[in-house]
């Protein structure tokens, strides 16, 4: 009897252990419908559709100084990009050098450090700073008279090459000389007033001097270094000239009132290279807004990959207009020909 009871007890314990093991195994197996397939990622980690986000660009702008012509070029540039790429497609990192060449270097170096997609160099000093700062980021100049002079290039063919192109604000210098001859046929001495620190001004003075001397005028160049000697140099030019010519010179344009105070008091008329120079009586001028807009069209092609900056030829303003400053003409008792347009604003 004892042996039979022992056998029955042992059998009971074995059955209990088997039942526990089966329960444990069942508890560790998750229900089939709660297991996520290995090939599916959670919804929050699904890759985004690359086509949903529009392409955006950061454009750096360095402008030499605040001036009506340069301001118009910058605005035209922005408007072109807004119309072609949309206003939301481009953000700007801007700096105005305030007419100080070292500031151009600082501004451009900052743009390069930011890694902008393109740089607009508005006027000669920003272009020179940008060219020295980077050979990789596309650079477009505007309000540049002569790229060969600004960048010290030999064998100019119309294309800078490398990472630089842009637009030129050069109005035909032979036609500007003809304007002086048309308005002042009895003049003998022409004073050529410009800033010696602006290479493009030097180029214009040397070029127009040849045209004027071929017409029989006697020409004398009067170079000022900055605003500190501007009044005295202008006065010397007035003392020795029947007419003064001023090219598209940024320093002169930025200090036009200083020049006007001297020349109007002396009774000497000024023919200027662009209409933003408030000291002149007449100009053969381009539209700087239009010039900037053309530059913006070039920028859009570069940013979208439609064009390669290294092969883009420098473009010029499509039209020039004979214009006059009514207030200055009245002050000097001058009447302009009927085909001249009054400068507004």
């Amino acid at each position: 009897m004892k042996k039979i009871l022992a056998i029955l007890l042992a059998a009971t314990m074995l059955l209990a252990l088997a039942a526990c093991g089966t329960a444990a195994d069942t508890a560790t197996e998750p229900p089939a419908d709660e297991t996520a397939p290995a090939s599916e990622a959670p919804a929050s980690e699904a890759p985004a559709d690359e086509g949903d986000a529009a392409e955006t660009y950061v454009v750096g702008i360095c402008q030499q100084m605040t001036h009506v012509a340069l301001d118009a070029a910058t605005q035209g540039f922005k408007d072109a990009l807004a119309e072609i790429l949309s206003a939301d497609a481009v953000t700007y990192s801007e700096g105005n050098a305030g007419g100080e060449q070292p500031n151009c270097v600082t501004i451009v170096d900052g743009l390069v450090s930011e890694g902008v997609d393109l740089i607009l160099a508005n006027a000669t000093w920003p272009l020179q700073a940008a060219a020295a700062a980077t050979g990789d980021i596309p650079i477009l100049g505007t309000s540049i008279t002569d790229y060969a002079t600004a960048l010290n290039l030999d064998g100019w063919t119309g294309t800078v090459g490398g990472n630089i192109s842009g637009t030129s604000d050069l109005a035909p210098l032979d036609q500007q000389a003809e304007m002086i001859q048309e308005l002042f046929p009895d003049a003998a001495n022409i004073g050529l007033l410009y800033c010696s620190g602006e290479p493009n001004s030097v180029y214009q003075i040397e070029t127009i001097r040849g045209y004027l001397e071929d017409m029989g005028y006697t020409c004398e160049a009067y170079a000022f270094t900055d605003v500190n000697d501007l009044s005295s140099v202008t006065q010397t030019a007035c003392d020795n000239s029947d007419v003064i010519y001023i090219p598209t010179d940024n320093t002169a344009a930025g200090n036009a009132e200083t020049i006007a105070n001297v020349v109007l008091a002396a009774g000497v008329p000024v023919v200027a290279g662009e209409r933003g120079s408030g000291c002149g009586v007449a100009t053969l001028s381009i539209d700087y807004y239009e010039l900037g807009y053309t530059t913006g069209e070039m920028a859009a092609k570069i940013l979208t990959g439609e064009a390669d900056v290294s092969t883009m030829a420098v473009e010029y303003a499509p039209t020039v207009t004979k214009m006059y400053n009514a207030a200055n003409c009245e002050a000097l008792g001058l009447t302009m020909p009927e085909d001249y347009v009054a400068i507004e604003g």
Side-chain angles (χ1 to χ4, degrees):
M1 180 62 68
K2 291 182 180 179
K3 290 182 179 180
I4 293 173
L5 290 174
I7 292 171
L8 290 174
L9 181 60
T12 301
M13 293 179 64
L14 287 172
L15 289 172
L17 288 172
C20 289
T22 302
D25 291 343
T26 302
T28 58
E29 291 290 334
D33 60 357
E34 294 181 8
T35 304
S39 59
E40 293 184 9
S44 61
E45 298 178 6
D49 184 356
E50 294 181 358
D52 291 342
E55 189 75 27
T56 58
Y57 309 94
V58 179
V59 173
I61 298 177
C62 180
Q63 183 172 313
Q64 186 160 315
M65 64 177 64
T66 298
H67 178 259
V68 61
L70 302 186
D71 292 348
T74 294
Q75 190 60 54
F77 176 82
K78 290 181 176 180
D79 288 350
L81 286 176
E83 291 179 22
I84 297 170
L85 302 179
S86 86
D88 296 331
V90 183
T91 57
Y92 297 96
S93 180
E94 301 182 62
N96 190 306
E100 298 292 334
Q101 192 168 14
N103 290 345
C104 295
V105 176
T106 302
I107 292 168
V108 169
D109 285 347
L111 298 177
V112 173
S113 296
E114 289 178 40
V116 297
D117 297 302
L118 182 143
I119 295 174
L120 173 69
N122 192 347
T124 302
W125 290 346
L127 178 66
Q128 292 172 330
T134 177
D136 300 317
I137 299 174
I139 299 167
L140 288 178
T142 193
S143 312
I144 310 297
T145 303
D146 181 64
Y147 281 76
T149 300
L151 299 174
N152 195 27
L153 304 175
D154 293 326
W156 174 248
T157 62
T159 302
V160 178
N163 64 323
I164 300 174
S165 188
T167 55
S168 169
D169 64 356
L170 179 62
L173 293 169
D174 56 342
Q175 294 181 39
Q176 292 186 47
E178 290 169 1
M179 172 181 282
I180 293 174
Q181 187 178 49
E182 176 187 24
L183 296 177
F184 307 104
D186 298 327
N189 300 305
I190 309 296
L192 308 175
L193 182 66
Y194 68 103
C195 177
S196 59
E198 298 199 28
N200 282 311
S201 296
V202 176
Y203 166 80
Q204 292 173 83
I205 292 300
E206 292 175 347
T207 302
I208 200 169
R209 181 174 195 155
Y211 292 127
L212 291 170
E213 289 180 344
D214 286 345
M215 294 174 177
Y217 291 107
T218 298
C219 297
E220 185 67 35
Y222 298 91
F224 58 89
T225 55
D226 54 36
V227 67
N228 294 317
D229 63 341
L230 177 56
S231 291
S232 61
V233 173
T234 302
Q235 185 61 60
T236 301
C238 289
D239 294 341
N240 297 283
S241 307
D242 300 311
V243 178
I244 291 175
Y245 171 76
I246 301 176
T248 53
D249 183 294
N250 290 301
T251 306
N255 297 278
E257 185 176 353
T258 299
I259 298 174
N261 290 337
V262 177
V263 298
L264 293 178
V268 178
V270 169
V271 173
E274 55 92 13
R275 66 182 178 184
S277 180
C279 58
V281 295
T283 179
L284 183 68
S285 186
I286 68 167
D287 186 328
Y288 275 82
Y289 177 88
E290 185 179 64
L291 190 72
Y293 194 96
T294 298
T295 316
E297 292 176 321
M298 297 173 72
K301 293 178 181 178
I302 294 168
L303 291 171
T304 59
E306 182 180 344
D308 182 350
V309 65
S310 67
T311 61
M312 299 179 80
V314 169
E315 297 191 28
Y316 294 80
T319 57
V320 292
T321 305
K322 291 181 177 180
M323 308 189 79
Y324 72 96
N325 184 309
N328 290 349
C329 287
E330 182 178 357
L332 297 177
L334 298 174
T335 300
M336 292 291 110
E338 292 184 357
D339 60 336
Y340 281 62
V341 178
I343 298 172
E344 298 180 358

